[in-house]
Amino acid sequence: MTNKNYTSRPEDRFTFGLWTIGNRGRDPFGAEVREKLTPVQIVEILAEVGAYGVNFHDNDLVPIDATTSERDKIVSEFRAALEAHNVRVPMATVSLFSDPVFRDGAFTANDPAVRAYALQKTCAAMDLGKEFDAEMFVLWGGREGTETDACRNPADAVKRFRDALNYLVEYSISQKYDYKFALEAKPNEPRGDIYFPTTGSYLALIETLDHKELVGVNPEVAHETMAGLNFTHAVAQAWEAGKLFHIDLNDQMPGRYDQDFRFGSANPKQAFFLVKFLEDVGYAGMRHFDAHAYRTSDYEDVKDFARGCMRTYLILKEKAQRWNADKEIQGIIREIHEAGDGVPQVAKFSKHHKAQLDAYEFNRHELAQKSLPYERLDQLTMDILFGVR
Ligand code: GLT
Ligand code: MN
Ligand code: MN
């Protein structure tokens, strides 16, 4: 169980995207600083650093203008590299944001031809993912948004997005693809505002879908943090709803551009509570690092970035085990959850329970005096994180 070297193993389910290791450091103010890697070279790096799997957008693997024979060649070389290095493809996705055709969105674009093209492209991306046995299909609507709400009624955007999802899920069913779909929210960037800005927005939308059982969410640390929200709370709500299908791990300082930093590098305490939650509940899905190395890195440093994401996760997992085994911490946890004698049962309403509730005399002042040593609890947590406990 404890893994003192913090080296990743297949059962850790650590994955990276072609676009993460292959990120070349381009930003809005400067060009690429790293040479382009081929998908095969990226698989080689992932094997070297000990990742379990690799995920891709259609066009990370096959350029948008590739001919059929170019496509076939790329696919067979990629497949050979995956087999040679024992690297899986658990998730596939589609780029509905890079090409200029999507400048007004994809599924929510005003032009019906763009919406239809987005569906055609996504179905083809699903076909491509299945060639590698991907089980999860992520949808991140990066361009589904606005700079000015003069352009469309936002309720129409919701309807269009729902129609597109229903179409794609039906396609998956008709092809017997057995995909599960994971929707990824982001509040802004690249659009001024993106529809469905938080994981909670998608959880609400999912309930309105034709096949809601096949659709869940893919929360990303950076995206929820950009919105100033507590990421672990979003993840917990998704988990509790049975909708945590996938997760994008990285890090982010609030109030900044989308930084996609190495996991745990900006807010290790928040990362700790996240890892503790995932491990405590037994999340069995992929731990996907949707992060990229600093623009200052060369590819040797990119490998250290990738190793760092996994290492930090494993260190925090061990810290969570230590926290769970700590007698003082567990004593406090027990105390703060303890009920006094005879407190009425309120889990479920019944006339009988309500009568018991009415009959009980609460001592409001005494309840307000109960010790809640959260300062002590938090410092014990910090001591564990700092490695002094
Ligand atoms: C893009 C985005 C990520 C998404 C990827 C999936 S693409 O890099 O910033 O958050 O997860 O489309
Ligand atoms: Mn991001
Ligand atoms: Mn992401």
Side-chain angles (χ1 to χ4, degrees):
M1 128 171 144
T2 19
N3 171 1
K4 272 292 165 203
N5 294 321
Y6 310 113
T7 36
S8 62
R9 294 164 301 184
E11 58 267 35
D12 296 318
R13 297 290 186 262
F14 291 141
T15 65
F16 290 82
L18 282 181
W19 70 95
T20 65
I21 299 296
N23 177 286
R24 301 177 60 199
R26 191 180 64 186
D27 69 21
F29 304 94
E32 289 83 352
V33 293
R34 289 184 281 270
E35 292 302 304
K36 188 173 169 52
L37 296 179
T38 64
V40 168
Q41 287 174 307
I42 296 173
V43 169
E44 287 164 359
I45 289 178
L46 288 176
E48 184 182 336
V49 301
Y52 170 75
V54 63
N55 307 314
F56 57 79
H57 298 88
D58 49 354
N59 304 138
D60 298 336
L61 186 62
V62 181
I64 194 164
D65 288 320
T67 62
T68 311
S69 67
E70 284 164 347
R71 178 196 191 276
D72 293 347
K73 183 165 181 281
I74 292 166
V75 163
S76 75
E77 286 172 359
F78 189 59
R79 189 190 312 287
L82 293 169
E83 281 168 12
H85 295 285
N86 200 21
V87 173
R88 314 295 167 87
V89 177
M91 177 272 263
T93 181
V94 58
S95 174
L96 298 175
F97 44 87
S98 295
D99 195 87
V101 69
F102 299 122
R103 72 198 196 283
D104 185 38
F107 303 144
T108 64
N110 283 334
D111 187 334
V114 173
R115 299 204 296 273
Y117 173 62
L119 279 180
Q120 184 195 66
K121 188 174 193 290
T122 305
C123 291
M126 288 162 61
D127 300 340
L128 181 65
K130 268 299 153 190
E131 290 195 43
F132 299 95
D133 297 324
E135 292 174 352
M136 190 65 61
F137 200 85
V138 162
L139 285 165
W140 172 64
R143 296 279 173 197
E144 315 286 10
T146 60
E147 286 72 41
T148 169
D149 285 328
C151 71
R152 78 179 67 78
N153 176 339
D156 287 343
V158 174
K159 288 191 179 72
R160 289 173 188 171
F161 199 85
R162 179 190 297 114
D163 289 348
L165 284 176
N166 284 335
Y167 187 107
L168 295 170
V169 174
E170 289 291 355
Y171 176 65
S172 176
I173 293 170
S174 78
Q175 293 289 107
K176 303 206 169 27
Y177 278 167
D178 226 15
Y179 270 121
K180 285 195 157 191
F181 294 80
L183 309 180
E184 178 176 345
K186 188 175 181 183
N188 58 273
E189 201 190 318
R191 299 309 297 267
D193 290 288
I194 299 179
Y195 299 124
F196 309 106
T198 64
T199 296
S201 316
Y202 272 137
L203 289 173
L205 176 77
I206 289 167
E207 292 305 306
T208 71
L209 298 178
D210 291 346
H211 289 281
K212 62 179 181 177
E213 70 285 357
L214 297 176
V215 186
V217 290
N218 178 40
E220 173 173 316
V221 178
H223 298 176
E224 227 72 17
T225 307
M226 284 172 78
L229 301 175
N230 182 314
F231 183 66
T232 306
H233 293 189
V235 167
Q237 192 185 352
W239 170 264
E240 201 276 339
K243 292 296 180 193
L244 188 65
F245 285 10
H246 200 261
I247 193 164
D248 275 4
L249 303 173
N250 55 16
D251 217 346
Q252 170 81 30
M253 296 297 283
R256 310 284 170 90
Y257 64 95
D258 183 24
Q259 294 175 308
D260 293 335
F261 282 150
R262 192 178 74 257
F263 180 60
S265 63
N267 190 343
K269 185 180 180 185
Q270 176 66 32
F272 165 75
F273 284 117
L274 173 66
V275 170
K276 180 169 144 37
F277 178 82
L278 294 174
E279 297 299 323
D280 283 353
V281 298
Y283 168 74
M286 296 299 139
R287 281 125 174 107
H288 175 235
F289 296 104
D290 190 12
H292 55 76
Y294 304 142
R295 193 163 184 263
T296 40
S297 297
D298 60 16
Y299 279 118
E300 278 311 304
D301 205 37
V302 168
K303 291 179 196 168
D304 279 324
F305 143 82
R307 289 191 191 99
C309 287
M310 299 185 283
R311 181 176 171 83
T312 294
Y313 189 100
L314 293 172
I315 293 170
L316 293 175
K317 180 175 167 178
E318 188 201 73
K319 298 284 182 195
Q321 287 162 353
R322 190 174 281 268
W323 197 97
N324 287 338
D326 189 293
K327 292 214 163 53
E328 184 175 356
I329 289 177
Q330 291 311 314
I332 295 175
I333 295 293
R334 253 192 317 278
E335 269 169 36
I336 61 183
H337 289 90
E338 251 165 32
D341 292 337
V343 172
Q345 202 264 75
V346 286
K348 195 165 168 49
F349 174 85
S350 72
K351 290 209 161 147
H352 174 64
H353 283 155
K354 178 62 168 58
Q356 281 182 335
L357 183 62
D358 288 341
Y360 192 81
E361 260 188 57
F362 291 95
N363 187 333
R364 200 171 91 243
H365 302 292
E366 199 184 300
L367 285 175
Q369 294 302 315
K370 175 172 165 171
S371 161
L372 297 174
Y374 292 174
E375 290 285 2
R376 174 95 194 129
L377 187 58
D378 188 70
Q379 187 61 41
L380 290 169
T381 305
M382 297 307 294
D383 281 7
I384 286 180
L385 289 180
F386 288 140
V388 298
R389 188 175 173 87

